[in-house]
Each structure stands twice: as C-alpha cells, then as structure tokens.
Amino acid sequence: MHLAKTGLLDRVRFRPMALPDRFIDHNTQTAQYHEAGLDAQAIVDTALGALGRSPSQQMA
C-alpha cells in the first residue's frame, strides 16, 4: 500500500482505497461510505488524482 500511496507505482496508475482502521459510527451506508472516504466523489477524486488532474478539471 505504501508504494501505491506514495506514487511509486505511477506507471500502473493504482491508488488503493480501503476502509480505514478505525471505528465508524453506526449510520446509513451512504453516510458511512462518506465518512470512510469511499463514496462516489472520493473515488472520482482519487482516480483524477492518479491521472494528474484536479477535481476542478472534471468534465461536466
């Protein structure tokens, strides 16, 4: 995971996304995914970051 998070695997453009190693309060699935950083927007932001783009460069 360290290699991917620090960009040492940039040739494969891989960024891991996993549940954090901490307790997430009981809530709706949507709220829990958001708190964990695994909601749709976080996935888009991670993918764009792997491509070297900022979220503001996202196509409408």
Side-chain angles (χ1 to χ4, degrees), residues 28-57:
T28 65
Q29 287 181 346
T30 302
Q32 288 178 319
Y33 282 127
H34 177 73
E35 184 178 339
L38 294 173
D39 58 349
Q41 190 60 53
I43 294 168
V44 169
D45 293 345
T46 299
L48 289 174
L51 296 172
R53 299 180 182 174
S54 68
S56 64
Q57 293 174 319

Side-chain angles (χ1 to χ4, degrees), residues 1-50:
M1 187 169 294
H2 169 74
L3 294 175
K5 283 188 173 184
T6 58
L8 296 174
L9 296 177
D10 278 349
R11 296 183 80 179
V12 293
R13 296 178 190 250
F14 173 79
R15 297 294 183 275
M17 297 185 77
L19 289 170
D21 190 19
R22 62 180 173 79
F23 181 77
I24 297 176
D25 289 327
H26 181 79
N27 208 329
T28 65
Q29 287 181 346
T30 302
Q32 288 178 319
Y33 282 127
H34 177 73
E35 184 178 339
L38 294 173
D39 58 349
Q41 190 60 53
I43 294 168
V44 169
D45 293 345
T46 299
L48 289 174

